[in-house]
Amino acid sequence: MTLAEYCRIVILPILAFSVILILVRFFKGPSIADRIVALDLLITTGIGIIGVYTITSGSSTLLDTGMILALIAFLSTVALSYYLERRSKKK
């Protein structure tokens, strides 16, 4: 079994199942903090799917997109946590 077959047969279904669980947490999350964490985890899983696609296809065209998504996910998590912290201090 090659690495590309392993990614396609084992890793991709695991990532797809985790996306389903993350979406359940995103829509069901009782607080906005749960939804923020779920959205960040969804983007991280998407980066993993991009990595699997890169391995299976053999081209590295989407790696830049994955790096940009990682940067956006980090900055959005920091911004939203800053917003939640400021909102809780006003109350």
Side-chain angles (χ1 to χ4, degrees):
M1 180 181 284
T2 64
L3 180 62
E5 290 174 354
Y6 181 75
C7 286
R8 205 175 312 118
I9 294 170
V10 177
I11 296 175
L12 201 56
I14 291 172
L15 287 174
F17 183 68
S18 68
V19 166
I20 293 169
L21 292 177
I22 293 167
L23 286 174
V24 167
R25 174 49 54 196
F26 180 73
F27 290 120
K28 192 178 178 183
S31 68
I32 195 164
D34 290 331
R35 292 187 171 124
I36 290 170
V37 170
L39 188 61
D40 188 38
L41 190 58
L42 188 65
I43 293 173
T44 305
T45 307
I47 294 168
I49 291 171
I50 288 172
V52 167
Y53 175 76
T54 301
I55 291 171
T56 57
S57 70
S59 70
S60 62
T61 56
L62 289 178
L63 286 180
D64 295 335
T65 306
M67 290 183 354
I68 291 171
L69 277 176
L71 180 64
I72 290 172
F74 172 73
L75 291 176
S76 65
T77 303
V78 169
L80 288 171
S81 63
Y82 178 75
Y83 167 73
L84 288 176
E85 184 68 28
R86 294 222 29 202
R87 190 176 76 169
S88 67
K89 284 184 180 180
K90 286 184 180 181
K91 290 183 179 181

